[in-house]
Amino acid sequence: MMKRILLACLIVAAIVGISTTAQADITGVALGTGAPPATLGSYTMTAFPDDYGTPYTDITSLASPLGGTVDFSSAMEIRTIGPGWATWSHGYTGDVLSTKGATSVTLTLPAMTGAFYFYAEPNPWATYTITATAQDGTFASQDVDGYAGAAGFGFYGDSIATIAITSATDFAIGEFGIAAVPVPGAVLLGVLGLSVAGARLRRRQS
C-alpha cells in the first residue's frame, strides 16, 4: 500500500513540475480597446467589481475578489466614467482611478497572482504611449488615444508581484481582472488524503 501511495505522489509531483515549468516566465500582452478577455494564457480571469468607492476620494489599495489587495504606490482618486472621467472604451461605465497628475504608478499585487489585466487611458485628449512593466522586466506598451478609449494590458505566467505603469502624461486605470497561481501542494495533499482514506476503507472491509 505504501508503494502505491509513493507512486501516486511521484506521478503528481512530476505533473506539477511540468506545469510549473510551463508557467515559469511572465508574458505581457497589449489587449487593445476591446472588452476584457475571459482568459489570459491558461488562466481563467475574475473581474473586479466596477464600484471602487465614493467618487473623488483617494484610495491606496483595492480589494481583490480572490482575497488580498492591489496596493498603489501613490494615492489614486476614484472617478466614474461619464461625470468624472469623460471617455473609456467598449461601453464600460464603472469607476476608474486617476493618477491626479502623476505620470507613473506601481501596483503591488496579492501573493501568488498568476495573471492580471487592467485598462488605462491618458487624461489629455490626445494619443500617448502607456507602458506597463512587471517585476522581471517583461513589458507591454501601446499608444492610447485619450479621446477614443482606454486600452488593456495583461500579464500572465509566473507569480506576478508588481506592475509599474508609466506615460508622458497623467492617466487613469481601471477594469481590473485577476487569477491566482494554482497551489501544487493542495493537489499533492489531496492525493495523499484519498490514498489514506482508501487504505482505511479496505482495512475495515477486510
Side-chain angles (χ1 to χ4, degrees):
M1 178 54 61
M2 288 305 298
K3 288 182 179 179
R4 291 180 182 177
I5 295 174
L6 180 58
L7 179 59
C9 292
L10 289 174
I11 292 172
V12 172
I15 294 172
V16 168
I18 292 170
S19 62
T20 302
T21 302
Q23 294 289 352
D25 298 324
I26 296 175
T27 299
V29 292
L31 302 175
T33 58
T39 61
L40 278 176
S42 62
Y43 293 93
T44 299
M45 305 304 294
T46 299
F48 282 51
D50 61 8
D51 183 356
Y52 301 161
T54 305
Y56 298 103
T57 58
D58 290 350
I59 61 173
T60 56
S61 65
L62 190 65
S64 164
L66 302 183
T69 60
V70 175
D71 300 323
F72 309 110
S73 58
S74 57
M76 305 287 284
E77 186 179 63
I78 300 172
R79 304 285 188 90
T80 300
I81 300 303
W85 191 270
T87 64
W88 206 252
S89 54
H90 53 266
Y92 178 76
T93 57
D95 289 347
V96 296
L97 299 173
S98 168
T99 61
K100 303 192 304 177
T103 59
S104 66
V105 64
T106 298
L107 282 55
T108 300
L109 307 181
M112 299 300 288
T113 294
F116 190 82
Y117 67 68
F118 67 92
Y119 282 71
E121 183 184 55
N123 184 23
W125 286 9
T127 300
Y128 289 86
T129 301
I130 298 179
T131 302
T133 307
Q135 78 273 3
D136 69 341
T138 299
F139 70 93
S141 186
Q142 56 189 314
D143 293 336
V144 188
D145 186 348
Y147 183 81
F153 298 78
F155 293 87
Y156 64 90
D158 202 356
S159 183
I160 306 165
T162 63
I163 299 174
I165 309 165
T166 60
S167 181
T169 188
D170 58 322
F171 53 89
I173 57 175
E175 273 197 286
F176 307 104
I178 192 169
V181 174
V183 182
V187 178
L188 189 58
L189 287 174
V191 172
L192 283 171
L194 289 173
S195 299
V196 171
R200 289 178 177 173
L201 179 60
R202 277 188 288 272
R203 286 188 190 128
R204 289 175 182 175
Q205 290 174 342
S206 61

